[in-house]
């Protein structure tokens, strides 16, 4: 159905919007790290320099993946999946603990968070499984198998504990089975079951750590100088930015260290404070541009596998952004989800660039073998 | 980027037929597109609520975070006597403190032990304080370990500061009173603000650890002396570190106050009282300018050292002061009331003259007593004695000069055919003289004294007023009670032609810029409206008191004194039928052109024998020093 198209196989708009978000993030990391380094650490060899290197690595990975036939990745995805499960178990047993949770593997002094790249692996495995079984996708067995594929890593990251990432795994699965055309009754039934079991889960499964975070979400002032401090200060930072913000590197909350983890979890608060509502709208526009270009990849994919991969990637980036920003502006309780492309951190940045590479791979190949 | 569910494909593609499956895909992709828009829509709405609708509120909270208002303490104004002698000093006192944030945690014990060695404060208390502060939200504010370090302690601590990270020597202002007990009752003292004072004063910018005038002039003129605190807006980071001063409003130093008190006169009066006290548990004296109401000396004994209260108060010393039966903390010149005895005859006499009860030639005979039958039971006879039985027949002058009680029984209550003033008229006159109410002197804690009348007695004691009560009232005995200052004002009114003055200690105010202002103070409370003829009659009687009357000891070698003695019985009757007596003298000089009034009170003593000679010495001193005499003249 799709005609041969001679021009613009590679989606530069998609790539450029990703790079623009990364550059935007670098500005914010620069401003945020001025505060925590107290101005003495050379900034460019510090966090900003590291992030630039990660971005370059990500870009290389992106281009490499985009040149690879994504169907080749599908072949290896099962092996990657078992590797991921092993890595997540490894993290839980001997991982590095930061802020009360184990999410990282320490390799040569660098903390690697396998759950980030794991989200892409799950996307590939689900896409492969659902496209291989596209004829029987309305069968309960296929539905449940796909659910199991997502739930296993979700439970492992939930135990870290990382409720945010676990939620992302489930949302990726949900988006992909809907795209694959699963029986809507199965989906609603699963959602109904989860909602019905939620109260029990809160008692039995949710740890004190998570319960405390949820309590703090509703009343951060209860511990305004302790655990509630970050929540309150992030809210003040964003709110005080107003329409145009206080100017990059001129936010008092950011620069005087009232805002903590201002280069990672709360980087959006730096943006809100220093660049204001207008700055946030620019960020939103870049994200929307990137995500809609991602959906375009899904729309023009030549096969079901590529389409599912594209949808998985869009859901992944959309909800990482939604949850991260939502935490900053008091929509969600605290979870340690990075803001894609923007937050300081190699695992996340390289992962989202690989994700971009996957989208490009789908786009580049859509014309080669007409359906 | 555009999507459509219809058969219109990508804009770049030619219009063509598409399969149902492709349509289904596009429909789903459209839903995901809508999901993207909804998610960012939710974020935008919430962000707009925070940044656009509540932005101002959050900006304020961010400013509150960032800015710390650090108060700048003003320098307290000084106090001088009328000749420019400084009566207070602002000294620096040293305090040991620790800044918890600067103490390395592993060094807590070492530093606490070192501080214990220097200050004597137990190391356990110090480590507790460091740990408490470290966990509080302002570990940068120095925590006081010990105030008022001796210079040796301060020096020892300063020597070792380099090896004691976090330790500090703070310099705090401390008020000092060089004259100590001599001026304690006048000046009062400053001390740490207490909870009640803080509740009252916090709106005026007082802080919890501020000092405030507690009593005396320090209290009365607190608002002038304190000055105006300034503030520094300091930018602080999240851990409380002060980064830079953004704005500064300097503190305005307090105004200085010049008192009407003459320190040398005050010292002389104190010495004279001390020498005359005998068995008195307390004594007081007032020297007033009869024309202006300026208080030249105001002495109350025993005194206390007000320096005791400015630093850390020694509990034992405080206990001794509070438990001392002679009440050294009380200003006996203004805060306690005593039976005025015959000094009150100034009031009775002038009232009788002005009311036409008596004139200079009213002759009354004292046989040493008068007898009055009980109104209800005529067989019961009350006897009211004179202080001497040989006074004989007297005119008004001699009645005053000899201080005949019988003469004043007649004037107050009448006898036989002689019509007296009666209790109510006498009470009214006493009140017009300013008795029974505060004089309005610029010191706290003044007593009102007591002017009795029949209604008062019925209400307070529950008995009817008797004629005998009027007799006692007329000679300043019984229920009537005054402060020494009130009697000084009665005498000043006699001397100055009938003006009841408002006494004051404030003479001038000098603000920090050096501007001198003389405040417009109310000096005359009321004029008594007594005819000059009558005043002269009273004055002549009072002149004769010291010339050839009851109190020749009240005469001065340097001036002509007029005055009235008082010997007032008080307390329980002794086995021999006598009472313990207060000794009073209240007089003025020079007789012809009055300048000052002097009132002397001894808790135990005799008007003519104890008080009058003491007053005479005060007049001697005052009028033998020409420069002082001029200073008193306006």
């Amino acid at each position: 159905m799709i005609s041969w198209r001679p021009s613009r196989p590679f989606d530069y708009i998609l790539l450029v919007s990703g790079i623009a978000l990364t550059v935007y993030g670098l500005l914010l990391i620069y401003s945020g790290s001025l505060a925590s380094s107290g101005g003495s650490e050379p900034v460019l060899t510090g966090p900003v320099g590291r992030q630039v290197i990660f971005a370059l690595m990500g870009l290389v990975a992106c281009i490499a993946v985009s040149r690879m036939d994504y169907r080749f990745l599908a072949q290896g995805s099962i092996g990657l999946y078992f590797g991921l499960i092993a890595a997540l178990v490894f993290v839980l047993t001997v991982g590095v603990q930061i802020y009360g949770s184990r999410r990282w593997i320490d390799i040569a002094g660098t903390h690697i968070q396998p759950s980030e790249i794991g989200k892409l692996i799950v996307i590939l495995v689900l896409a492969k499984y659902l496209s291989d079984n596209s004829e029987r996708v309305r069968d309960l067995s296929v539905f449940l198998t796909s659910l199991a594929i997502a739930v296993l890593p979700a439970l492992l990251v939930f135990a870290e504990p990382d409720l945010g990432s676990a939620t992302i795994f489930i949302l990726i699965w949900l988006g992909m089975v809907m795209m694959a055309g699963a029986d809507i009754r199965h989906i609603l039934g699963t959602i109904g079951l989860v909602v019905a079991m939620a109260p029990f889960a809160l008692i039995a499964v949710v740890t004190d750590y998570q319960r405390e975070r949820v309590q703090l979400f509703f009343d951060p002032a209860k511990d305004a100088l302790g655990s509630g401090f970050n929540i309150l200060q992030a809210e003040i930072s964003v709110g005080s930015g107003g329409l145009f913000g206080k100017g990059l590197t001129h936010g008092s909350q950011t620069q005087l260290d009232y805002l903590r983890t201002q280069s990672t979890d709360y980087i959006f608060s730096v943006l809100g404070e220093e660049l204001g509502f207008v700055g946030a709208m620019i960020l939103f526009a870049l994200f929307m541009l990137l995500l809609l270009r991602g959906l375009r990849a899904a729309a023009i994919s030549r096969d079901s596998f590529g389409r599912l991969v594209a949808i998985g990637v869009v859901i992944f980036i959309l909800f990482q952004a939604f949850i991260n920003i939502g935490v900053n502006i008091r929509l969600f309780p605290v979870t340690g989800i990075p803001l894609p492309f923007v937050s300081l951190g190699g695992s996340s940045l390289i992962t989202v660039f690989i994700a971009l590479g996957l989208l490009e791979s789908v786009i580049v190949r859509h014309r080669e073998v007409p359906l | 980027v555009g999507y459509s569910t219809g058969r219109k494909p990508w804009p770049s593609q030619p219009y063509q037929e598409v399969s149902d499956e492709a349509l289904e895909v596009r429909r789903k992709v459209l839903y995901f597109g809508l999901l993207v828009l909804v998610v960012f829509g939710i974020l935008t709405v919430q962000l707009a609520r925070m940044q656009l609708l509540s932005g101002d509120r959050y900006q304020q909270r961010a400013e509150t975070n960032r800015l710390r208002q650090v108060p700048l303490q003003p320098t307290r104004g000084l106090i001088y006597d009328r000749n420019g002698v400084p009566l207070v000093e602002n000294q620096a006192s040293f305090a040991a403190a620790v800044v918890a944030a600067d103490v390395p945690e592993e060094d807590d014990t070492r530093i606490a032990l070192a501080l214990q060695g220097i200050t004597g404060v137990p190391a356990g208390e110090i480590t507790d304080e460091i740990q408490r502060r470290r966990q509080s939200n302002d570990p940068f504010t120095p925590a006081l370990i010990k105030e008022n370090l001796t210079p040796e302690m301060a020096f020892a601590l300063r020597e070792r500061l380099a090896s004691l990270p976090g330790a500090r020597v703070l310099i705090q202002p401390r008020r000092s009173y060089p004259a100590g007990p001599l001026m304690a009752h006048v000046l009062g003292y400053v001390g740490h603000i207490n909870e009640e004072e803080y509740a009252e004063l916090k709106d005026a910018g007082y802080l919890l650890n501020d000092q405030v005038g507690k009593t005396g002039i320090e209290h009365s003129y607190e608002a002038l002396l304190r000055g105006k605190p300034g503030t520094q807006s300091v930018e602080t980071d999240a851990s409380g570190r002060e980064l830079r001063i953004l704005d500064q409003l300097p503190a305005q130093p307090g105004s200085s106050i010049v008192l009407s008190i003459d320190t040398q006169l005050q010292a002389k009066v104190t010495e004279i009282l001390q020498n005359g006290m005998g068995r008195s548990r307390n004594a007081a004296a007032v020297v007033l300018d009869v024309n202006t109401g300026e208080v030249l000396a105001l002495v109350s004994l025993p005194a206390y050292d007000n320096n005791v209260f400015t630093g850390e108060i020694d509990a034992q010393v405080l206990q001794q002061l509070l438990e001392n039966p002679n009440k050294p903390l009380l200003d006996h010149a203004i805060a306690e009331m005593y039976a005025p005895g015959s000094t009150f005859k100034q009031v009775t006499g002038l009232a009788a003259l002005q009311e036409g009860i008596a004139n200079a030639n009213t002759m009354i005979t004292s046989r040493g007593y008068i007898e009055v039958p009980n109104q209800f039971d005529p067989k019961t006879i009350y006897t009211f004695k004179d202080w001497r039985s040989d006074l004989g027949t007297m005119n008004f002058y001699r009645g005053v000069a000899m201080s005949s009680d019988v003469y004043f029984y007649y004037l107050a209550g009448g006898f036989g055919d002689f019509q007296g003033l009666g209790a109510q008229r006498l009470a009214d006159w006493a009140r017009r003289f300013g008795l029974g109410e505060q004089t309005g002197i610029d010191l706290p804690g003044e007593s009102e004294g007591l002017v009795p009348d029949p209604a008062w007695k019925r209400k307070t004691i529950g008995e009817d007023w008797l004629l005998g009560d009027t007799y006692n009232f007329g000679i300043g005995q019984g229920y009537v009670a005054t402060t020494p200052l009130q009697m000084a004002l009665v005498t000043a009114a006699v001397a100055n032609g009938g003006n009841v003055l408002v006494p004051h200690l404030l003479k001038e105010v000098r603000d920090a810029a050096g501007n001198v202002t003389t405040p417009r103070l109310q000096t005359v409370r009321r004029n008594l409206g007594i005819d000059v003829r009558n005043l002269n009659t009273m004055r002549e009687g009072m002149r004769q008191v010291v010339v050839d009357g009851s109190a020749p000891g009240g005469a001065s070698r340097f001036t002509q004194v007029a005055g009235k003695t008082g010997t007032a019985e008080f307390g329980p009757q002794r086995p021999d039928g006598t009472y313990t007596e207060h000794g009073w003298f209240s007089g003025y000089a020079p007789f012809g052109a009055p300048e000052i009034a002097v009132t002397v009170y001894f808790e135990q003593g005799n008007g003519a024998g104890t008080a009058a000679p003491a007053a005479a010495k005060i007049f001697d001193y005052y009028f033998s020093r020409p420069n002082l005499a001029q200073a008193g003249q306006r």
Side-chain angles (χ1 to χ4, degrees):
Chain A
M1 68 156 236
I2 295 165
S3 65
W4 187 87
R5 280 177 51 196
S7 63
R8 288 177 42 200
F10 193 91
D11 189 342
Y12 287 103
I13 295 175
L14 180 67
L15 184 62
V16 167
S17 58
I19 293 171
L21 282 168
T22 309
V23 172
Y24 209 175
L26 286 172
L27 291 176
L28 299 174
I29 291 165
Y30 168 73
S31 178
S33 58
L34 280 181
S36 42
S37 68
S40 57
E41 193 187 343
V43 168
L44 290 178
T45 60
V48 175
R50 281 211 312 274
Q51 185 78 344
V52 168
I53 291 165
F54 290 139
L56 293 174
M57 288 164 67
L59 214 51
V60 170
C62 172
I63 298 199
V65 170
S66 71
R67 300 203 165 216
M68 217 181 276
D69 190 331
Y70 55 90
R71 284 164 298 180
F72 171 75
L73 285 171
Q75 303 308 314
S77 64
I78 303 299
L80 289 173
Y81 183 77
F82 287 113
L84 166 69
I85 299 303
L88 289 176
V89 170
F90 182 77
V91 164
L92 276 180
T93 47
V94 294
V96 180
Q97 194 162 357
I98 301 176
Y99 302 132
S101 72
R102 287 181 192 278
R103 300 180 185 175
W104 294 268
I105 302 174
D106 192 346
I107 297 174
T110 310
H111 292 158
I112 292 174
Q113 195 172 354
S115 59
E116 284 305 301
I117 194 74
K119 287 160 193 165
L120 290 189
I121 292 170
V122 167
I123 288 169
L124 289 173
V125 173
L126 277 177
K128 167 125 181 71
Y129 180 76
L130 290 171
S131 59
D132 285 355
N133 296 284
S134 57
E135 305 301 314
R136 302 191 297 119
V137 76
R138 297 178 69 84
D139 286 6
L140 187 59
S141 64
V142 172
F143 179 80
L144 289 179
T145 308
S146 71
L147 177 59
I149 290 170
V151 163
L152 182 58
L155 284 176
L156 287 170
V157 296
F158 180 78
E160 284 178 357
D162 184 354
L163 181 59
S165 286
T167 308
I168 296 286
F169 277 116
I170 299 303
L171 289 171
I172 287 170
W173 165 79
L174 191 60
M176 288 176 74
V177 290
M178 286 171 95
M179 189 67 205
D183 192 332
I184 193 72
R185 287 169 303 175
H186 292 159
I187 295 170
L188 291 177
T190 310
I191 293 172
L193 203 64
V194 169
V195 170
M197 277 168 45
F200 302 101
L202 275 178
I203 296 163
V205 186
V206 174
T207 59
D208 286 345
Y209 167 83
Q210 283 157 343
R211 208 169 289 137
E212 186 193 302
R213 283 192 160 196
V214 173
Q215 276 171 2
L216 278 171
F217 169 68
F218 289 109
D219 186 13
K222 202 171 63 180
D223 190 10
L225 296 169
S227 324
F229 185 83
N230 292 349
I231 301 174
L232 281 176
Q233 295 304 335
E235 186 186 351
I236 294 171
S237 303
V238 174
S240 65
L243 183 58
F244 293 109
K246 302 172 188 172
L248 196 66
T249 74
H250 287 96
S252 62
Q253 290 284 109
T254 304
Q255 303 305 329
L256 301 175
D257 274 333
Y258 289 97
L259 192 62
R260 305 275 163 79
T261 59
Q262 62 269 69
S263 299
T264 52
D265 292 359
Y266 287 110
I267 195 160
F268 182 79
S269 295
V270 177
L271 170 74
E273 186 189 20
E274 300 194 339
L275 302 174
F277 186 74
V278 170
M281 288 305 106
I282 293 170
L283 183 87
F284 289 1
L286 288 173
F287 266 118
M288 283 193 282
L289 179 62
L290 181 134
L291 291 169
L292 295 180
R293 292 305 284 194
L295 287 179
R296 172 178 167 272
I300 64 173
S301 169
R302 71 177 168 196
D303 58 14
S304 164
F305 178 76
R307 191 152 50 240
L308 288 170
V309 167
I311 285 297
V313 167
V314 167
I315 292 285
F316 161 53
I317 294 175
L318 173 65
F319 280 97
Q320 295 261 108
F322 186 39
I323 291 174
N324 174 282
I325 297 171
V327 166
N328 277 264
I329 60 177
R330 295 291 311 279
L331 286 175
F332 302 121
V334 175
T335 60
I337 295 277
L339 184 57
F341 298 103
V342 181
S343 281
L344 174 64
S347 300
S348 166
L349 191 59
I350 292 170
T351 300
V352 289
F353 268 109
I354 291 173
L356 276 195
L358 285 174
L359 291 178
E360 294 287 2
S361 175
V362 171
I363 293 163
V364 165
R365 262 152 274 275
H366 84 264
R367 63 180 171 83
E368 287 176 356
V369 182
L371 275 172
Chain B
V1 184
Y3 297 93
S4 73
T5 51
R7 291 182 185 253
K8 177 86 168 72
W10 296 104
S12 57
Q13 292 168 352
Y15 189 81
Q16 59 177 266
E17 289 292 308
V18 283
S19 68
D20 285 349
E21 195 199 338
L23 277 179
E24 174 73 7
V25 166
R26 286 184 189 173
R27 195 170 57 80
K28 283 181 181 166
V29 169
L30 176 78
Y31 290 153
F32 281 105
L34 286 176
L35 178 66
V36 170
L37 297 179
V38 166
V39 162
F40 283 97
I42 291 170
L43 293 177
T44 304
V45 167
Q46 169 74 350
L47 201 59
R49 274 178 46 190
M50 288 171 70
Q51 294 191 307
L52 305 183
L53 297 183
S54 311
D56 292 346
R57 193 164 54 84
Y58 284 114
Q59 256 158 37
Q60 217 151 39
R61 289 175 68 182
E63 287 295 285
T64 315
N65 264 346
R66 174 173 84 106
L67 297 179
R68 180 185 293 173
Q69 300 296 325
V70 179
L72 298 173
Q73 289 302 323
T75 313
R76 195 173 176 86
L78 297 176
I79 305 174
Y80 300 93
D81 89 338
R82 67 184 302 121
N83 300 314
V85 177
L87 302 177
V88 298
E89 285 172 10
N90 290 327
Q91 292 183 332
S93 94
F94 298 106
V98 280
V99 174
D102 296 342
V103 180
E105 256 174 74
E106 65 276 11
D107 278 358
D108 281 5
T109 317
R110 182 180 70 80
I111 286 165
L113 282 171
L115 287 173
Q116 176 186 306
I118 297 168
T119 64
V121 178
E125 282 176 27
I126 301 174
T127 47
D128 287 353
E129 183 64 20
I130 293 173
Q131 276 153 19
R132 203 176 60 74
R133 284 299 180 113
R134 192 178 279 138
Q135 277 151 23
S136 77
N137 59 345
D138 65 332
F140 286 91
T141 303
L144 286 178
I145 299 296
K146 187 172 171 60
E147 289 185 273
N148 294 311
L149 298 180
T150 63
E152 293 77 31
M153 285 181 187
F155 186 75
L157 180 54
R158 208 171 259 181
E159 286 274 273
R160 297 190 53 190
L161 281 183
S163 65
L164 301 174
R168 298 274 188 281
V169 178
L170 301 183
I171 300 173
Q172 301 177 307
R174 182 181 168 178
R175 200 74 154 170
S176 152
Y177 304 101
L182 178 64
M183 300 295 292
H185 285 120
V186 170
L187 298 175
Y189 49 84
V190 296
H192 284 294
I193 197 165
N194 64 33
E195 273 176 46
E196 288 163 28
E197 290 164 336
Y198 178 66
E200 199 180 312
L201 292 170
K202 66 179 173 203
D203 292 336
Y206 282 79
L207 302 171
L208 258 179
N209 55 356
D210 262 349
Q211 300 234 313
V212 65
K214 295 282 188 180
T215 180
I217 288 293
E218 294 273 31
H219 175 84
S220 300
Y221 294 110
E222 170 70 20
L224 285 172
L225 289 166
R226 181 173 189 243
K228 218 171 153 204
T231 48
Q232 259 181 356
S233 293
V234 182
E235 189 176 63
T236 52
D237 71 9
S239 49
R241 203 186 309 270
E242 295 179 0
L243 301 178
R244 59 196 170 118
I245 296 166
L246 294 178
D247 195 13
Q248 181 161 331
L249 180 72
Q252 292 171 15
S255 298
S256 289
I257 282 177
V258 179
L259 298 183
S260 56
I261 293 280
D262 183 290
T263 312
Q264 285 178 311
L265 180 65
Q266 177 89 357
K268 192 68 189 176
V269 171
T270 303
E271 182 197 316
I272 291 165
L273 283 195
Q274 274 165 343
N275 293 337
M277 274 180 86
R279 291 168 55 200
S280 290
R281 289 181 299 177
N282 50 62
V286 180
V287 181
L288 269 185
D289 184 317
V290 297
N291 299 304
T292 64
E294 283 182 2
V295 179
L296 304 176
L298 187 68
V299 176
S300 170
L301 294 176
Y304 66 98
D305 186 353
N306 46 355
N307 291 299
V308 164
F309 292 93
T310 57
E312 215 174 337
I313 298 174
D314 185 329
Q316 209 180 336
V317 173
L318 181 65
Q319 181 105 357
Q320 280 170 5
L321 286 172
L322 289 172
E323 285 176 357
N324 188 329
N326 301 340
K327 304 184 195 168
L329 294 177
L330 210 61
D331 188 342
H332 296 276
I334 66 164
E336 271 209 318
M337 56 180 186
Y338 311 97
S342 296
T343 56
F344 186 75
K345 287 171 183 167
Q346 295 172 90
V347 176
T348 312
L350 276 170
L353 290 170
Q354 188 65 22
E355 294 284 346
I357 301 292
N359 57 47
N361 299 316
T362 299
M363 307 300 284
I364 292 169
T365 303
S366 169
R367 295 188 175 79
Y369 61 90
I370 55 173
E371 288 180 331
V372 185
N374 185 297
Q375 297 168 242
F376 309 109
D377 175 15
K379 285 184 191 123
T380 309
I381 306 287
Y382 295 118
T383 304
F384 293 89
K385 288 182 178 168
D386 211 327
W387 70 286
R388 263 164 73 165
S389 57
D390 58 349
L391 292 172
T393 303
M394 296 162 284
N395 64 8
F396 189 90
Y397 304 127
R398 296 315 293 166
V400 173
M402 296 313 293
S403 198
S404 166
D405 292 334
V406 166
Y407 197 99
F408 281 85
Y409 293 151
Y410 274 67
L411 298 188
F415 187 75
D417 294 337
F418 191 93
Q419 189 69 36
L421 282 162
Q424 193 57 54
R425 263 199 293 184
L426 184 54
D428 291 345
W429 271 99
R431 293 195 180 105
R432 291 177 69 186
F433 270 94
L435 305 181
E437 66 180 0
Q438 293 187 341
T439 66
I441 191 172
D442 39 5
L443 287 177
E446 213 190 336
S447 165
E448 292 176 352
L450 175 62
V451 174
D453 60 24
W456 171 85
K457 190 182 178 189
R458 174 120 293 276
K459 189 170 156 235
T460 313
I461 301 180
E463 289 174 7
D464 284 329
W465 185 270
L466 302 175
L467 178 59
D469 291 324
T470 313
Y471 285 162
N472 279 331
F473 190 8
I475 63 164
Q477 287 276 176
Y479 304 116
V480 64
T482 69
T483 66
L485 178 64
Q486 284 175 328
M487 285 321 298
L489 290 169
V490 167
T491 301
V494 173
N496 68 22
N499 285 327
V500 178
L501 303 173
V502 179
H504 48 83
L505 291 154
L506 180 67
K507 192 168 163 59
E508 275 173 16
V509 177
R510 295 181 188 169
D511 70 18
N515 302 316
V516 178
T517 51
T518 308
R520 285 174 184 273
L521 298 164
Q522 186 197 356
T523 53
V524 178
R525 178 180 291 273
R526 70 178 72 85
N527 187 278
L528 291 167
I530 298 175
D531 299 343
V532 179
R533 186 168 46 94
N534 292 331
L535 283 169
N536 283 336
T537 304
M538 190 73 218
R539 288 165 179 162
E540 176 57 28
M542 288 167 69
R543 174 67 187 140
Q544 289 186 18
V545 166
V546 298
V547 174
D548 55 358
S550 64
S556 164
R557 286 180 290 141
F558 299 96
T559 187
Q560 293 189 313
V561 176
K564 188 70 204 76
T565 55
T567 305
E569 297 171 343
F570 72 99
Q573 196 169 19
R574 287 193 289 236
D576 63 354
T578 62
Y579 290 87
T580 317
E581 291 168 333
H582 296 318
W584 288 85
F585 185 85
S586 190
Y588 65 90
F591 175 64
E595 286 176 23
I596 60 163
V598 172
T599 297
V600 171
Y601 153 83
F602 289 109
E603 192 250 356
Q604 290 180 40
N606 174 283
T610 327
K617 285 180 191 140
I618 295 170
F619 284 118
D620 280 352
Y621 177 79
Y622 186 90
F623 288 100
S624 63
R625 292 178 63 223
N627 59 333
L628 193 65
Q630 278 157 15
Q633 197 114 39
R634 290 229 110 213

